[in-house]
Amino acid sequence: MTAGLALTYLTAATIPWTAVHVTGSISVGEVLLVIAAGVLLIADPGRRLPALPPWVWVLTVAVLVVGVTNLYFPASQAYMGHRDQLVDNYLVTHTAALPDTNLSVSLHLAVRMVLIPLVFGLAHGYDRRALSRVAISFVSGVAVGSLIAFLDSRHVTSIGPALTGVPVTDNRAAGLTDHPNVIAMTCVLALPLAVWALQAARGSARVTAVIGLVALLLGLYASRSRSGAVAAAVAGLVALAWLPRFRRHLPSAALILASLGAVLFVVSPGVGGSILSGLRLTGENTAGSDQARTIVNDQAVRDFLHSPFHGIGFEIAEQAHIVYLQALAVGGVILLAALLIYLGGALVRSARLARTNPLAIALFASVLGGAIFNAVQNALTPALVYLVEGLVAVLPLRSARRA
């Protein structure tokens, strides 16, 4: 049991490290997830498996249906060969050959979506503190990656590129992930949980929580992700405004921060501009990036129109740059409807449990931040995307009767 719990916490800490691979494209976090599941199951073979809410099964089944349907009714090679795809982000190419097969991607995704809440639920069955510790482990893992990203972006170290092979480009660092936008996503998801950990901590643990929160902000800055900055601001403010311990102090804190910001801009006007420029919100030529997104998003629309019911398959799961449009291209209305049910179910469940469990508030903010972030990003298949919802799925219901 102890080994299974330890592996669960290690899984939560390492799933954000998407570029740290054990072999091929399999990350260390995914390997630990499978091992943790095996150890927890073996520890008590007769233990009842945790019941997962319907919205988890809706998306899982939809993924399998889309994968199988496109296996037997695939888009033609002629169509696939005329699709616009990007090489090195900006060069358009046309080829029917894709690195991943539809069925393998869909099967791996379905397993991730079920295994993550299953492992967290089993851990909670052994230790009622497990879900809180999973959340803290996740924040810790993201904080480590964020500090590496910040130091690499300032060219103080080169830890990320040495471990993952992902270079620092235009001062944008990826930490232990495979893209700066991914490190931004990890920060968006972890930020409300760090705020929750800060209000729950006592004594020296509060110092550690502050360090973790600062690390996330530094990692977000190092990513230079515009969508990350916006989504993190929304998620962080929702957590601050809803968590009881912070809510009563929010007006005073807002006044103090506004005053400090005004003084800072008066004393050193260049600081604010530097921060906004560092996040590529001002003063940055993003025309190339925006053009690339337009190309892949226009192609996603054509993919959806080509097969509006079940899409053209999971081979293209990483190509569009709006996850909801990406879902339409991959799996048509089946996959998009299921994805919206999944996100809506997680938001409703966490909101209903907010009165009895402060962690549910932070998880609500995380799910919301992730949904906003993915409105201009393309994270559909990584295990990281489903970690927060996996926690929501196994939150103890307490006074609520149903999810």
Side-chain angles (χ1 to χ4, degrees):
M1 181 189 72
T2 302
L5 291 172
L7 285 166
T8 301
Y9 305 144
L10 281 174
T11 296
T14 55
I15 277 182
W17 303 348
T18 58
V20 180
H21 297 146
V22 173
T23 178
S25 60
I26 302 176
S27 70
V28 63
E30 291 175 310
V31 171
L32 288 172
L33 176 66
V34 173
I35 297 173
V39 172
L40 289 171
L41 288 170
I42 292 172
D44 186 1
R47 180 176 290 270
R48 188 175 180 178
L49 295 179
L52 303 183
W55 44 268
V56 173
W57 295 113
V58 166
L59 183 55
T60 303
V61 171
V63 166
L64 293 174
V65 167
V66 167
V68 172
T69 302
N70 280 291
L71 175 67
Y72 290 102
F73 304 99
S76 68
Q77 289 295 302
Y79 177 79
M80 297 298 287
H82 284 86
R83 295 181 67 257
D84 289 341
Q85 300 178 63
L86 294 182
V87 178
D88 296 331
N89 291 328
Y90 301 107
L91 300 176
V92 177
T93 185
H94 300 91
T95 175
L98 292 165
D100 294 307
T101 67
N102 161 66
L103 195 58
S104 69
V105 175
S106 60
L107 287 175
H108 283 122
L109 178 55
V111 169
R112 291 180 190 120
M113 288 190 299
V114 172
L115 206 55
I116 288 172
L118 178 66
V119 167
F120 294 164
L122 286 171
H124 177 71
Y126 286 113
D127 187 344
R128 296 300 174 184
R129 301 166 297 179
L131 298 185
S132 296
R133 291 179 174 181
V134 164
I136 292 171
S137 297
F138 176 63
V139 172
S140 300
V142 176
V144 170
S146 295
L147 285 175
I148 290 173
F150 180 74
L151 293 173
D152 288 349
S153 71
R154 302 298 97 186
H155 304 288
V156 175
T157 62
S158 187
I159 298 172
L163 291 176
T164 67
V166 180
V168 175
T169 304
D170 195 22
N171 291 330
R172 299 188 70 194
L176 299 177
T177 72
D178 34 31
H179 194 280
N181 285 335
V182 180
I183 192 69
M185 178 172 61
T186 67
C187 293
V188 170
L189 296 177
L191 186 63
L193 298 175
V195 173
W196 161 81
L198 180 61
Q199 64 92 38
R202 299 288 186 275
S204 60
R206 181 164 292 179
V207 176
T208 304
V210 170
I211 293 173
L213 183 59
V214 171
L216 298 184
L217 296 176
L218 292 176
L220 189 65
Y221 185 78
S223 74
R224 305 191 70 199
S225 170
R226 293 169 288 171
S227 53
V230 173
V234 173
L237 287 173
V238 168
L240 285 170
W242 199 349
L243 284 165
R245 180 162 294 183
F246 290 118
R247 184 171 61 236
R248 59 178 176 265
H249 299 300
L250 196 60
S252 300
L255 178 61
I256 293 172
L257 289 174
S259 301
L260 289 174
V263 171
L264 181 63
F265 273 81
V266 170
V267 174
S268 182
V271 172
S274 297
I275 293 174
L276 294 176
S277 177
L279 292 171
R280 300 191 303 154
L281 294 173
T282 62
E284 185 80 11
N285 183 6
T286 59
S289 174
D290 294 338
Q291 181 182 10
R293 293 181 184 219
T294 299
I295 291 170
V296 293
N297 288 337
D298 287 348
Q299 180 59 57
V301 172
R302 293 192 289 273
D303 293 337
F304 166 63
L305 294 175
H306 181 77
S307 180
F309 188 62
H310 59 80
I312 66 171
F314 278 93
E315 296 101 325
I316 63 162
E318 301 300 327
Q319 293 185 9
H321 234 287
I322 298 174
V323 81
Y324 309 108
L325 181 57
Q326 183 182 29
L328 283 173
V330 169
V333 294
I334 293 176
L335 189 59
L336 178 62
L339 178 62
L340 294 178
I341 290 171
Y342 180 82
L343 293 173
L347 288 171
V348 169
R349 182 182 177 103
S350 52
R352 290 184 63 186
L353 298 176
R355 289 187 178 181
T356 58
N357 190 345
L359 176 57
I361 296 173
L363 291 172
F364 176 93
S366 291
V367 174
L368 179 64
I372 294 171
F373 178 81
N374 250 346
V376 288
Q377 297 295 339
N378 60 344
L380 179 64
T381 60
L384 166 68
V385 180
Y386 303 96
L387 187 142
V388 172
E389 286 85 354
L391 269 173
V392 174
V394 293
L395 280 178
L397 295 179
R398 295 186 181 179
S399 60
R401 292 182 180 179
R402 291 181 295 177

